[in-house]
Amino acid sequence: MKVLLASPRGFCAGVNMAVESLDQALAVYGPPLYVFHEIVHNRPVVQAFRAKGAIFVETIDEVPPGANLMYSAHGVSPAIRRKSEAAGIKTIDATCPLVTKVHLEAIQFAKEGYQIVLVGHAGHDEVVGTMGEVEGSIRLVETVEDVAALDYPAGTRLAFLTQTTLSVDEARAIILALKNRFPHIVGPRKDDICYATQNRQEAVRLLSQEADMVLVLGSSNSSNSQRLAELARESGRAAHLIDGPQDIQFEWFKGHETVLITAGASAPEHLVQGCVSLLEEKFGADVESRSVREENVRFGLPRELRQALTSFPAVPASYVGSPEKSSPAAN
Ligand code: SF4
């Protein structure tokens, strides 16, 4: 068996920042530390933090007054911020700056009198947060068919935005449908699908051509991980989305000589390495790293945390490790 290890893969700059923020916040404030929604959409990461004293909540009512609450990488709506403030909760905002950028674009378009069409997945934390910024001025479309059903009166000023973790190809088709239906629609200078989503999809698109099957490390609720598995299947390859080596079933590999391994933006590198070790052990796999692009993006810790860290020394990050360790360029 040959294993192709795709790069870029795994933690993006936003996830690195969010995970390191939670690590540092637990060290500075101590448990319990509340987190609004999963810090990132990855079960093993969430479980590891739960064991260290993080409490993940779905509503602000679950957080006691005076407690510390972190907002996850996917961002929150202004209504949640207001509710936290009214409840006397101390907040740390670990929203990815690339998600914040979409919020700001939505606010700006709404201020300029546009109705906004957001291309995204209903119920995703990021979509809920973005739509909450401009309630009443924004509608969601998930498919090309949804575009056909839009019923804006003639002359409505329209703008579109996208979720950061969409399939590049699907988003392109929906944006094209929007432009065909509403020739005057405007959008951001560059679409909002983030660099990490685009790079991981590019790697799967190119490298799956050399593989018989694809393993994607990532949780089933991770949008960008799901898109990687879908992309591999669209290329005609068998693909499995797994949380870690424990999910591997050896019969999957019958008749498959070359396996591409990649990881969604919220999947930790140690689980990738666990899968590689298992395939080396079981099938004597030869491992080859294949990089299609370098990544050097890095985001700083949230302001509230930086301030707190001036009084407390930073602790060595126990979960995230150095970005270089999980960086594709290092493989
Ligand atoms: Fe930010 Fe993109 Fe990572 Fe989401 S996937 S946290 S938008 S860098």
Side-chain angles (χ1 to χ4, degrees):
M1 177 189 285
K2 185 166 161 187
V3 167
L4 300 179
L5 209 40
S7 290
R9 65 170 181 276
F11 276 15
C12 59
V15 167
N16 259 322
M17 177 275 290
V19 166
E20 191 178 351
S21 296
L22 186 48
D23 235 357
Q24 298 287 356
L26 277 163
V28 169
Y29 303 112
L33 198 133
Y34 291 80
V35 185
F36 190 71
H37 294 151
E38 294 187 340
I39 184 72
V40 297
H41 284 156
N42 186 272
R43 267 186 287 269
V45 171
V46 168
Q47 275 162 10
F49 276 121
R50 204 170 266 138
K52 290 167 78 174
I55 298 175
F56 297 92
V57 296
E58 295 300 313
T59 64
I60 297 301
D61 297 336
E62 297 166 69
V63 186
N68 291 297
L69 172 71
M70 182 170 284
Y71 296 138
S72 79
H74 304 103
V76 294
S77 67
I80 295 296
R81 292 180 195 279
R82 284 194 295 271
K83 202 161 178 188
S84 302
E85 203 181 322
I89 293 164
K90 291 176 268 177
T91 57
I92 306 153
D93 189 357
T95 304
C96 173
L98 299 181
V99 173
T100 301
K101 170 179 158 279
V102 183
H103 284 221
L104 295 175
E105 287 168 345
I107 292 166
Q108 187 59 35
F109 277 132
K111 256 192 207 156
E112 292 173 15
Y114 286 93
Q115 288 293 312
I116 300 158
V117 180
L118 177 65
V119 184
H121 298 294
H124 189 281
D125 294 343
E126 179 187 325
V127 164
V128 172
T130 304
M131 295 187 78
E133 291 283 4
V134 286
E135 278 171 352
S137 303
I138 191 163
R139 289 167 73 174
L140 182 70
V141 294
E142 297 185 84
T143 62
V144 167
E145 291 70 38
D146 290 347
V147 173
L150 290 171
D151 56 356
Y152 290 106
T156 306
R157 298 181 82 197
L158 283 178
F160 73 85
L161 295 171
T162 72
Q163 188 181 328
T164 57
T165 50
L166 297 180
S167 148
V168 171
D169 295 335
E170 265 177 48
R172 192 176 295 141
I174 297 170
I175 291 168
L176 187 65
L178 281 168
K179 287 181 173 171
N180 285 339
R181 175 107 202 268
F182 307 105
H184 302 298
I185 196 166
V186 297
R189 246 176 293 158
K190 210 171 152 286
D191 70 42
D192 298 304
I193 300 177
C194 77
Y195 80 95
T197 299
Q198 299 202 25
N199 291 349
R200 281 149 192 70
Q201 288 181 19
E202 179 189 32
V204 167
R205 190 180 298 108
L206 295 174
L207 298 172
S208 60
Q209 291 171 15
E210 300 175 42
D212 307 310
M213 75 172 293
V214 181
L215 287 185
V216 180
L217 273 291
S219 289
S220 54
N221 62 340
S222 159
S223 174
N224 78 87
S225 304
Q226 287 173 347
R227 303 292 85 79
L228 295 177
E230 282 170 11
L231 191 56
R233 289 184 196 117
E234 284 161 16
S235 313
R237 305 295 181 265
H240 300 280
L241 179 61
I242 55 173
D243 270 316
Q246 73 284 354
D247 294 339
I248 286 181
Q249 295 175 27
F250 294 128
E251 64 266 24
W252 290 343
F253 301 94
K254 273 185 201 141
H256 294 312
E257 288 177 2
T258 306
V259 178
L260 177 67
I261 299 185
T262 186
S266 47
E269 178 63 12
H270 72 89
L271 295 174
V272 173
Q273 293 305 328
C275 291
V276 170
S277 301
L278 188 61
L279 297 186
E280 283 176 325
E281 212 174 280
K282 179 76 185 171
F283 300 106
D286 287 328
V287 183
E288 201 180 299
S289 288
R290 300 292 294 274
S291 176
V292 303
R293 194 174 287 275
E294 294 284 316
E295 280 183 354
N296 297 302
V297 182
R298 184 128 203 224
F299 297 137
L301 294 176
R303 181 179 40 83
E304 311 85 329
L305 197 51
R306 287 200 309 270
Q307 284 166 356
L309 284 167
T310 55
S311 339
F312 293 85
V315 294
S318 59
Y319 203 95
V320 67
S322 72
E324 287 71 26
K325 270 187 200 152
S326 57
S327 156
N331 294 305

